[in-house]
Amino acid sequence: MLWLLRHGDAAPATGSMADAERPLTEQGRAQARAAGVALARLGARPVACLASPRVRARDTAALPAAALGVEVTVVEALGRGGFDAAALAAPYGGDVVLVGHEP
């Protein structure tokens, strides 16, 4: 099974900060922690958590991954869009959490 998560609330872009470097806000961190709790309550037992390389997605992934006992693997394709989610998850041979952005 694929579990799809969008990154939590992130700081707005500023002139000095690249979009890819936008960190989570406190609300975004709370959302990510809540996602981990929700996934655990739903019985999710992923074997992997794949995340976009953008800071807000990596930071979002880290919180539920820790709660679920899996490592985060950064996957460049998740930061670009146009990827095949099933193909990304297939090599892991089990349930996978994908953390990225809106389509």
Side-chain angles (χ1 to χ4, degrees):
M1 177 175 295
L2 285 175
W3 298 92
L4 304 176
L5 292 179
R6 181 188 180 274
H7 65 77
D9 186 60
T14 64
S16 62
M17 181 188 310
D19 178 69
E21 299 304 316
R22 292 173 43 218
L24 291 176
T25 62
E26 186 53 44
Q27 178 183 355
R29 287 187 290 280
Q31 291 166 337
R33 285 189 291 275
V37 170
L39 286 169
R41 286 184 180 163
L42 289 169
R45 300 289 180 259
V47 297
C49 180
L50 310 180
S52 159
R54 297 179 186 186
V55 170
R56 59 193 180 274
R58 289 191 332 252
D59 290 352
T60 296
L63 294 164
L68 296 166
V70 296
E71 296 291 320
V72 175
T73 300
V74 173
V75 177
E76 290 293 325
L78 289 172
R80 293 190 308 265
F83 57 87
D84 181 336
L88 289 177
Y92 295 91
D95 291 1
V96 175
V97 176
L98 299 181
V99 182
H101 311 273
E102 293 178 329

